[in-house]
Every structure is written in C-alpha cells, then in structure tokens.
C-alpha cells in the first residue's frame, strides 16, 4: 500500500516536472534553454570566454599599461589600507578609464555583428536557430542605438558622458547575454554526429582505393 502510494507520488512529480519544463520551453527568448544539455551550456561558455578574452584586450591590457606609467600610491593612500587592494583599485580605475567615454558602444556593436550572423546562418543538416527572430531583432536594435549614440557623442559636446557610460555598460551586458544565448542555441540545433558518420569519408575513400586497385590489377 505504502509502496503503491510512493510510486504514484513519484509518477505525479515526474508528470508535473515534465509539464513545467514544457511550459517553460515556450517562454520568449529563453524557452529553449530548458531543453538544452549541460554540454550546450559548457561549450557555449568556453566559446564566450575564449572570444571575450581577446575582444576585451584593449581594455584590460590598456589598464596594465596605464598602471605601469601611473605614479605609485602615496603614503596617505596606503595608510591603514591593504596594499594589494590599493593597487587593484588603481588598476580597475585605469581599466574603466579606457571605456569611460563611450568606447563600449563600439565594443558592443563588434560583439553583436558575428552574433547576428550566426543567428541567421543555417548550417547543413541543422535546424533554424531557436528564437532567431527576437535574438536578431534585439541585436539590430542595440547596434542601431549604439551607433547613433556614439555618433552623437563625437559630434556634440553637450552630451551627458556619464549617462552614455552607463548606457554603454548596459548595452554591453545585453550583448554578452545575446552572444551566449546564440552559442547555446547553435550547439543545441546542430545534428548529433555518430562515430560511423565521422568515419564515413575515410571508409568511402578506402573503398574507392580498393576498387581502383582491383580495376588496375
């Protein structure tokens, strides 16, 4: 009796979980995330980190260069403070100074251009990218906003630079999220390739060699 109740409760919990997952998978923009595997998330994270390290080099490397030429902290700044934290703070301020005047707008646009291409690209044997329309629309909107604000920033001295800074940070964060989503969805839509499919070109080549040998012998 107890075993039967436990089995029924387990089945009900499993059905509830399945229904919840199906409902969440219909959400706008992020629904397919609930269908993806851990490999999809990890591979996308690797691609994102690998690309971001090189794409952000002007900022973090520029911060290092500025720190090297910056005057050392004074005794007043070091008084009662952790020396390491003081240097880290100086480095971070130098990094921020490299994109304090809207440079992140160009960075966000450069991040979204390949993202937009991957969203519209259809590899052979793969399905369309999930949520392609909202991803593409958001990418285009951010690219337009970033380009317009950056152009105004260069042409008008009356622009609120502080507001531009926070807008550029916000657009960059959204660009990161969109790029990660596209990487996850791209891995999800690719067809599974079995070992036999991977070996097929080699096997076909070996068969053609054997046929050729038989014809010439």
């Amino acid at each position: 009796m107890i075993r039967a109740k436990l089995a029924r409760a387990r089945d009900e919990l499993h059905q509830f979980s399945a229904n919840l997952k199906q409902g969440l998978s219909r959400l706008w923009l992020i629904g397919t995330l609930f269908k993806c595997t851990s490999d999809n998330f990890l591979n996308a994270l690797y691609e994102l980190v690998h690309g971001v390290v090189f794409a952000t080099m002007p900022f973090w490397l520029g911060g290092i260069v500025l720190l090297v030429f910056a005057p050392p902290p004074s005794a007043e700044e070091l008084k009662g403070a952790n020396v390491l934290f003081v240097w880290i703070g100086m480095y971070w301020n130098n990094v921020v100074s490299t994109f304090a005047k809207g440079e992140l707008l160009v960075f966000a646009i450069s991040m979204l251009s390949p993202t937009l291409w991957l969203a519209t690209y259809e590899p052979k044997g793969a399905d369309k990218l999930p949520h392609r329309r909202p991803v593409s629309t958001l990418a285009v909107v951010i690219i337009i906003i970033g380009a317009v604000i950056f152009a105004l920033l260069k042409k008008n001295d009356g622009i609120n630079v502080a507001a531009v800074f926070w807008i550029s940070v916000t657009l960059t964060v959204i660009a990161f999220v969109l790029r990660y989503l596209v990487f996850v969805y791209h891995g999800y839509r690719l067809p599974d390739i079995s070992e036999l499919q991977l070996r097929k070109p080699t096997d076909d080549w070996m068969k053609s060699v054997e046929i050729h040998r038989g014809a010439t012998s």
Side-chain angles (χ1 to χ4, degrees):
M1 186 74 174
I2 296 177
R3 187 175 297 176
K5 289 183 178 180
L6 289 175
R8 186 168 63 250
R10 186 170 58 250
D11 292 340
E12 291 176 354
L13 181 61
H14 178 74
Q15 185 62 38
F16 173 78
S17 177
N19 292 338
L20 179 62
K21 185 176 180 180
Q22 184 177 6
L24 292 173
S25 66
R26 298 193 183 100
L27 290 175
W28 179 82
L29 187 63
I30 63 171
T32 304
L33 290 177
F34 298 96
K35 299 179 181 179
C36 296
T37 64
S38 58
D39 286 341
N40 296 141
F41 291 108
L42 291 176
N43 292 336
L45 182 61
Y46 170 79
E47 294 290 342
L48 179 68
V49 172
H50 181 269
V52 166
V53 167
F54 291 99
T56 57
M57 186 179 293
F59 304 132
W60 58 261
L61 185 58
I64 294 176
V65 174
L66 292 175
L67 183 64
V68 169
F69 288 98
S74 63
E76 184 89 14
E77 293 172 321
L78 293 175
K79 187 177 180 180
N82 188 302
V83 177
L84 179 62
F85 288 163
V86 172
W87 281 103
I88 291 175
M90 290 178 59
Y91 171 70
W92 177 246
N93 290 334
N94 287 325
V95 171
V96 173
S97 70
T98 62
F99 55 80
K101 296 182 179 179
E103 291 83 359
L104 276 181
L105 294 170
V106 179
F107 176 74
I109 293 173
S110 66
M111 285 280 292
L112 285 173
S113 297
T115 302
L116 184 61
W117 175 83
L118 190 59
T120 56
Y121 172 64
E122 295 183 13
K124 184 178 180 181
D127 298 327
K128 292 183 179 179
L129 190 87
H131 310 287
R132 179 170 67 175
R133 182 172 295 177
V135 168
S136 303
T137 302
L138 283 174
V140 171
V141 169
I142 292 174
I143 289 173
I144 293 174
I145 292 175
V148 170
I149 294 178
F150 188 77
L152 292 174
L153 185 66
K154 296 303 178 182
K155 290 292 184 180
N156 194 334
D157 295 333
I159 292 291
N160 187 335
V161 179
V164 171
F165 171 78
W166 287 111
I167 292 173
S168 66
V169 171
T170 303
L171 295 182
T172 300
V173 171
I174 298 174
F176 276 129
V177 172
L178 285 179
R179 184 154 185 166
Y180 180 68
L181 285 177
V182 167
F183 281 146
V184 174
Y185 294 157
H186 180 64
Y188 171 78
R189 69 169 171 174
L190 292 177
D192 293 329
I193 301 177
S194 64
E195 184 179 355
L196 291 177
Q197 289 174 305
L198 291 173
R199 290 170 49 188
K200 189 176 184 303
T202 303
D203 293 340
D204 291 343
W205 181 78
M206 292 298 295
K207 288 178 181 178
S208 64
V209 170
E210 291 176 0
I211 293 172
H212 179 72
R213 286 180 179 175
T216 57
S217 59

